[in-house]
Amino acid sequence: MNPFIHTFSVIVNITGEELSILVKRYRWIDLKKSYKGKYYDSSIIEFCDKGLQMQIRRRTEKEIKSDNKHNPFQIELVVTPYKLLYPCKNMGAITTLEEMGKAIIALGKLLEQIKMDTGINLISDAKNVQRYKIKRVDLTCDVETPSDDYSKEIIAVSKVVKLPYGYTRCDVSEEDIEMYGWKRENACSFYNKNQDVYIKIYNKKENLKGKEEYRNYLDKGLLRYEISMPRGNLKKQGILLKDKLGECLRKIMDSGKSLFDKYIIQNLPDLSMVSFPILEKLLKKYMSGKEKTLEKMLHLCKIAYKCKKAETVFSAEQCGMSEVQFKNCYRKFSELGVSPIPVEKGLPYIPATESMLNGKIERKFAYFASKKSRGKEIWGL
């Protein structure tokens, strides 16, 4: 597993006059007019290929009164570190502290260029610290899948699995669909209010359509797991110290694997997935002589498959069971290491989440699927 910081953002408050200068000088789009934006009003896209996008919104009256400057507008500087060093490249990761240091220097130079062009200071310095705040950091990990069908199936299953306490699903918003071209079948996201963290699983290959890098994935799929940690989360974890950007990013890079373990592996069901015909044979093998248990488990699988097709959360109520019965039956699957949610027939086997992120497979299930799937290609074999 090699998590990397895909994006981070900082926020700066500006005056109406400063905003007017920026939109006159640089290419921008009106989000409310073009994309029915609900949160941001406009976005400066002049530097997107260089790793910087500036999203602008009008602050609320409460926000305006909360600081001494009373600036009416806020810019969120959304930064893609890799693009700062490799402009126009849509795939790649910064994996060393040295590279991240170079990226921060490149960001400083880009903001200095904007200051020279417009006279507007968007960079933090000793005299202007109050204008500068880290808003969020996005940590990601990419997984190559055998085909796009596998990527879509993993997303489909993730939409119906029973989540641990505190997590809720967030459907793809109309704004994302309109602005970024998202399709509901290509993304799944979760939010934990207490921990203030977002988890997103999406079809990165779909995101690359129309770009040069898409050609590298014509015969395979590409899935991206993303943890979005807002300011509140970073504070709780002790990562955010006096808005020192370099120190914050260094801490996240050092603890990338443990953060993925904490938010992804420990919270998403970490079970292998197989198609229903293979799952039925697998259960009959391991539940031999336990007919009543086998019957309940197969019933659970059938309901789970229906829930997946209908994009309905898989629960005790859907199965006509009490919570205790449901948990006991689900526990049997956990003990076996296989998911009760069957995948489509053409996809014999999908590794558990942790194995997938680490480029590994569970050989017991992979070989069983290989024997029972009449020569179909198996993930990892």
Side-chain angles (χ1 to χ4, degrees), residues 349 361-363 365-371 376-381:
Y349 162 76
I361 60 171
E362 296 81 18
R363 294 192 174 275
F365 298 124
Y367 282 120
F368 187 89
S370 180
K371 289 177 183 177
K376 285 184 180 175
E377 186 179 347
I378 304 296
W379 186 323
L381 293 183

Side-chain angles (χ1 to χ4, degrees), residues 210-227:
K211 298 179 173 68
E212 183 183 349
E213 290 85 351
Y214 184 80
R215 293 182 298 175
N216 299 329
Y217 299 95
L218 293 177
D219 59 347
K220 54 190 170 185
L222 183 64
L223 196 64
R224 174 163 286 182
Y225 285 78
E226 180 175 281
I227 304 169

Side-chain angles (χ1 to χ4, degrees), residues 13 34 58 63 131 156 199 237 304 313 338 353 368:
N13 299 325
S34 304
R58 180 178 286 276
E63 288 173 326
R131 299 182 75 191
I199 296 171
Q237 295 193 77
V313 177
V338 68
T353 306
F368 187 89

Side-chain angles (χ1 to χ4, degrees), residues 327-349:
K327 286 179 181 177
N328 287 339
C329 195
Y330 199 99
R331 190 181 298 118
K332 297 291 182 184
F333 286 96
S334 297
E335 289 168 357
L336 285 174
V338 68
S339 173
I341 307 174
V343 296
E344 297 302 312
K345 284 184 179 180
L347 315 173
Y349 162 76

Side-chain angles (χ1 to χ4, degrees), residues 120-159:
I120 299 169
N121 181 23
L122 298 176
I123 192 168
S124 173
D125 58 37
K127 297 178 182 178
N128 205 24
V129 172
Q130 73 275 11
R131 299 182 75 191
Y132 172 83
K133 282 185 179 180
I134 298 170
K135 184 175 182 183
R136 77 169 203 273
V137 180
D138 296 341
L139 188 68
T140 64
C141 189
D142 290 341
V143 175
E144 286 189 3
T145 62
S147 74
D148 219 28
D149 291 336
Y150 280 88
S151 300
K152 291 177 181 178
E153 188 66 12
I154 292 165
I155 292 167
V157 171
S158 299
K159 288 184 177 183

Side-chain angles (χ1 to χ4, degrees), residues 5 8 94-98 100-101 104 134 137 139 234 238-241 244-257 259:
I5 294 173
F8 64 83
I94 286 180
T95 56
T96 67
L97 294 174
E98 183 183 1
M100 185 59 76
I104 293 173
I134 298 170
V137 180
L139 188 68
L234 297 173
I239 291 173
L240 190 63
L241 298 172
K244 293 180 179 178
L245 181 60
E247 182 67 13
C248 176
L249 298 180
R250 183 190 67 77
K251 285 188 175 183
I252 291 173
M253 290 179 75
D254 286 344
S255 55
K257 290 183 180 180
L259 288 168

